PDB file of all heavy atoms in Angstrom:
ATOM      1  N   TRP A  17       1.371  -4.933  -3.155  1.00 96.00           N
ATOM      2  CA  TRP A  17       1.064  -5.130  -1.771  1.00 96.00           C
ATOM      3  C   TRP A  17      -0.310  -5.861  -1.665  1.00 96.00           C
ATOM      4  O   TRP A  17      -1.314  -5.441  -2.284  1.00 96.00           O
ATOM      5  CB  TRP A  17       1.011  -3.779  -1.120  1.00 96.00           C
ATOM      6  CG  TRP A  17       0.718  -3.670   0.410  1.00 96.00           C
ATOM      7  CD1 TRP A  17      -0.468  -3.509   0.965  1.00 96.00           C
ATOM      8  CD2 TRP A  17       1.706  -3.661   1.345  1.00 96.00           C
ATOM      9  NE1 TRP A  17      -0.351  -3.388   2.287  1.00 96.00           N
ATOM     10  CE2 TRP A  17       0.993  -3.451   2.597  1.00 96.00           C
ATOM     11  CE3 TRP A  17       3.069  -3.743   1.498  1.00 96.00           C
ATOM     12  CZ2 TRP A  17       1.557  -3.419   3.866  1.00 96.00           C
ATOM     13  CZ3 TRP A  17       3.712  -3.704   2.685  1.00 96.00           C
ATOM     14  CH2 TRP A  17       2.983  -3.525   3.830  1.00 96.00           C
ATOM     15  N   THR A  18      -0.370  -6.937  -0.865  1.00 94.00           N
ATOM     16  CA  THR A  18      -1.610  -7.639  -0.599  1.00 94.00           C
ATOM     17  C   THR A  18      -1.837  -7.748   0.896  1.00 94.00           C
ATOM     18  O   THR A  18      -1.018  -7.321   1.676  1.00 94.00           O
ATOM     19  CB  THR A  18      -1.564  -9.077  -1.249  1.00 94.00           C
ATOM     20  OG1 THR A  18      -0.558  -9.822  -0.512  1.00 94.00           O
ATOM     21  CG2 THR A  18      -1.181  -8.972  -2.728  1.00 94.00           C
ATOM     22  N   GLU A  19      -2.877  -8.488   1.211  1.00 94.00           N
ATOM     23  CA  GLU A  19      -3.210  -8.691   2.678  1.00 94.00           C
ATOM     24  C   GLU A  19      -2.030  -9.440   3.356  1.00 94.00           C
ATOM     25  O   GLU A  19      -1.772  -9.212   4.590  1.00 94.00           O
ATOM     26  CB  GLU A  19      -4.462  -9.470   2.877  1.00 94.00           C
ATOM     27  CG  GLU A  19      -5.652  -8.617   2.712  1.00 94.00           C
ATOM     28  CD  GLU A  19      -6.974  -9.437   2.649  1.00 94.00           C
ATOM     29  OE1 GLU A  19      -6.995 -10.612   3.012  1.00 94.00           O
ATOM     30  OE2 GLU A  19      -8.002  -8.810   2.357  1.00 94.00           O
ATOM     31  N   ARG A  20      -1.298 -10.226   2.612  1.00 94.00           N
ATOM     32  CA  ARG A  20      -0.194 -10.994   3.208  1.00 94.00           C
ATOM     33  C   ARG A  20       0.851 -10.083   3.713  1.00 94.00           C
ATOM     34  O   ARG A  20       1.302 -10.108   4.894  1.00 94.00           O
ATOM     35  CB  ARG A  20       0.364 -11.942   2.101  1.00 94.00           C
ATOM     36  CG  ARG A  20       1.504 -12.744   2.670  1.00 94.00           C
ATOM     37  CD  ARG A  20       2.265 -13.519   1.530  1.00 94.00           C
ATOM     38  NE  ARG A  20       3.497 -13.988   2.135  1.00 94.00           N
ATOM     39  CZ  ARG A  20       4.645 -13.308   2.099  1.00 94.00           C
ATOM     40  NH1 ARG A  20       4.695 -12.139   1.602  1.00 94.00           N
ATOM     41  NH2 ARG A  20       5.701 -13.800   2.633  1.00 94.00           N
ATOM     42  N   GLU A  21       1.212  -9.036   2.886  1.00 96.00           N
ATOM     43  CA  GLU A  21       2.281  -8.102   3.228  1.00 96.00           C
ATOM     44  C   GLU A  21       1.733  -7.236   4.385  1.00 96.00           C
ATOM     45  O   GLU A  21       2.479  -6.950   5.334  1.00 96.00           O
ATOM     46  CB  GLU A  21       2.594  -7.190   2.048  1.00 96.00           C
ATOM     47  CG  GLU A  21       3.607  -7.828   1.026  1.00 96.00           C
ATOM     48  CD  GLU A  21       2.844  -8.879   0.180  1.00 96.00           C
ATOM     49  OE1 GLU A  21       1.690  -8.693  -0.044  1.00 96.00           O
ATOM     50  OE2 GLU A  21       3.451  -9.854  -0.160  1.00 96.00           O
ATOM     51  N   GLN A  22       0.424  -6.927   4.259  1.00 96.00           N
ATOM     52  CA  GLN A  22      -0.185  -6.076   5.407  1.00 96.00           C
ATOM     53  C   GLN A  22       0.045  -6.810   6.648  1.00 96.00           C
ATOM     54  O   GLN A  22       0.495  -6.163   7.713  1.00 96.00           O
ATOM     55  CB  GLN A  22      -1.616  -5.986   5.066  1.00 96.00           C
ATOM     56  CG  GLN A  22      -2.462  -5.066   6.005  1.00 96.00           C
ATOM     57  CD  GLN A  22      -2.243  -3.623   5.698  1.00 96.00           C
ATOM     58  OE1 GLN A  22      -2.107  -3.210   4.510  1.00 96.00           O
ATOM     59  NE2 GLN A  22      -2.292  -2.785   6.727  1.00 96.00           N
ATOM     60  N   ALA A  23      -0.268  -8.098   6.818  1.00 96.00           N
ATOM     61  CA  ALA A  23      -0.108  -8.798   7.972  1.00 96.00           C
ATOM     62  C   ALA A  23       1.282  -8.893   8.418  1.00 96.00           C
ATOM     63  O   ALA A  23       1.649  -8.772   9.600  1.00 96.00           O
ATOM     64  CB  ALA A  23      -0.737 -10.226   7.832  1.00 96.00           C
ATOM     65  N   LEU A  24       2.175  -9.210   7.509  1.00 95.00           N
ATOM     66  CA  LEU A  24       3.617  -9.357   7.857  1.00 95.00           C
ATOM     67  C   LEU A  24       4.232  -8.085   8.353  1.00 95.00           C
ATOM     68  O   LEU A  24       5.122  -8.010   9.174  1.00 95.00           O
ATOM     69  CB  LEU A  24       4.391  -9.897   6.632  1.00 95.00           C
ATOM     70  CG  LEU A  24       4.233 -11.300   6.216  1.00 95.00           C
ATOM     71  CD1 LEU A  24       4.949 -11.615   4.940  1.00 95.00           C
ATOM     72  CD2 LEU A  24       4.728 -12.269   7.303  1.00 95.00           C
ATOM     73  N   PHE A  25       3.686  -6.928   7.771  1.00 97.00           N
ATOM     74  CA  PHE A  25       4.218  -5.667   8.175  1.00 97.00           C
ATOM     75  C   PHE A  25       3.730  -5.125   9.456  1.00 97.00           C
ATOM     76  O   PHE A  25       4.277  -4.247  10.070  1.00 97.00           O
ATOM     77  CB  PHE A  25       3.952  -4.655   7.020  1.00 97.00           C
ATOM     78  CG  PHE A  25       4.890  -3.464   7.154  1.00 97.00           C
ATOM     79  CD1 PHE A  25       6.248  -3.526   6.728  1.00 97.00           C
ATOM     80  CD2 PHE A  25       4.425  -2.279   7.670  1.00 97.00           C
ATOM     81  CE1 PHE A  25       7.040  -2.394   6.853  1.00 97.00           C
ATOM     82  CE2 PHE A  25       5.172  -1.183   7.826  1.00 97.00           C
ATOM     83  CZ  PHE A  25       6.547  -1.186   7.450  1.00 97.00           C
ATOM     84  N   ALA A  26       2.550  -5.590   9.944  1.00 96.00           N
ATOM     85  CA  ALA A  26       1.939  -5.076  11.116  1.00 96.00           C
ATOM     86  C   ALA A  26       2.822  -4.747  12.276  1.00 96.00           C
ATOM     87  O   ALA A  26       2.811  -3.658  12.871  1.00 96.00           O
ATOM     88  CB  ALA A  26       0.757  -6.024  11.607  1.00 96.00           C
ATOM     89  N   PRO A  27       3.725  -5.676  12.716  1.00 95.00           N
ATOM     90  CA  PRO A  27       4.526  -5.323  13.883  1.00 95.00           C
ATOM     91  C   PRO A  27       5.555  -4.174  13.540  1.00 95.00           C
ATOM     92  O   PRO A  27       5.907  -3.322  14.406  1.00 95.00           O
ATOM     93  CB  PRO A  27       5.356  -6.624  14.126  1.00 95.00           C
ATOM     94  CG  PRO A  27       5.136  -7.531  12.932  1.00 95.00           C
ATOM     95  CD  PRO A  27       3.849  -7.090  12.299  1.00 95.00           C
ATOM     96  N   PHE A  28       5.952  -4.056  12.261  1.00 95.00           N
ATOM     97  CA  PHE A  28       6.807  -2.942  11.912  1.00 95.00           C
ATOM     98  C   PHE A  28       6.095  -1.593  11.853  1.00 95.00           C
ATOM     99  O   PHE A  28       6.635  -0.535  12.208  1.00 95.00           O
ATOM    100  CB  PHE A  28       7.473  -3.200  10.594  1.00 95.00           C
ATOM    101  CG  PHE A  28       8.340  -4.448  10.584  1.00 95.00           C
ATOM    102  CD1 PHE A  28       7.958  -5.634  10.029  1.00 95.00           C
ATOM    103  CD2 PHE A  28       9.623  -4.422  11.189  1.00 95.00           C
ATOM    104  CE1 PHE A  28       8.676  -6.804  10.108  1.00 95.00           C
ATOM    105  CE2 PHE A  28      10.411  -5.523  11.290  1.00 95.00           C
ATOM    106  CZ  PHE A  28       9.929  -6.735  10.698  1.00 95.00           C
ATOM    107  N   ALA A  29       4.811  -1.655  11.479  1.00 95.00           N
ATOM    108  CA  ALA A  29       4.015  -0.476  11.430  1.00 95.00           C
ATOM    109  C   ALA A  29       3.877   0.078  12.862  1.00 95.00           C
ATOM    110  O   ALA A  29       3.916   1.309  13.062  1.00 95.00           O
ATOM    111  CB  ALA A  29       2.598  -0.798  10.817  1.00 95.00           C
ATOM    112  N   GLU A  30       3.720  -0.816  13.778  1.00 95.00           N
ATOM    113  CA  GLU A  30       3.561  -0.409  15.243  1.00 95.00           C
ATOM    114  C   GLU A  30       4.799   0.386  15.628  1.00 95.00           C
ATOM    115  O   GLU A  30       4.761   1.233  16.448  1.00 95.00           O
ATOM    116  CB  GLU A  30       3.421  -1.628  16.072  1.00 95.00           C
ATOM    117  CG  GLU A  30       1.928  -1.919  16.253  1.00 95.00           C
ATOM    118  CD  GLU A  30       1.647  -3.270  17.082  1.00 95.00           C
ATOM    119  OE1 GLU A  30       2.516  -3.544  17.979  1.00 95.00           O
ATOM    120  OE2 GLU A  30       0.733  -4.001  16.700  1.00 95.00           O
ATOM    121  N   GLU A  31       5.956  -0.031  15.161  1.00 93.00           N
ATOM    122  CA  GLU A  31       7.230   0.573  15.463  1.00 93.00           C
ATOM    123  C   GLU A  31       7.513   1.828  14.744  1.00 93.00           C
ATOM    124  O   GLU A  31       8.507   2.514  14.923  1.00 93.00           O
ATOM    125  CB  GLU A  31       8.362  -0.335  15.210  1.00 93.00           C
ATOM    126  CG  GLU A  31       8.387  -1.705  15.945  1.00 93.00           C
ATOM    127  CD  GLU A  31       8.930  -1.622  17.366  1.00 93.00           C
ATOM    128  OE1 GLU A  31       9.836  -0.875  17.545  1.00 93.00           O
ATOM    129  OE2 GLU A  31       8.305  -2.222  18.194  1.00 93.00           O
ATOM    130  N   GLY A  32       6.522   2.217  13.823  1.00 94.00           N
ATOM    131  CA  GLY A  32       6.706   3.447  13.071  1.00 94.00           C
ATOM    132  C   GLY A  32       7.501   3.329  11.787  1.00 94.00           C
ATOM    133  O   GLY A  32       7.889   4.313  11.202  1.00 94.00           O
TER     134      GLY A  32
END
Side-chain angles (χ1 to χ4, degrees):
W17 181 268
T18 65
E19 278 172 14
R20 179 187 170 273
E21 283 73 32
Q22 184 79 33
L24 288 172
F25 195 78
F28 298 102
E30 271 173 35
E31 300 278 321

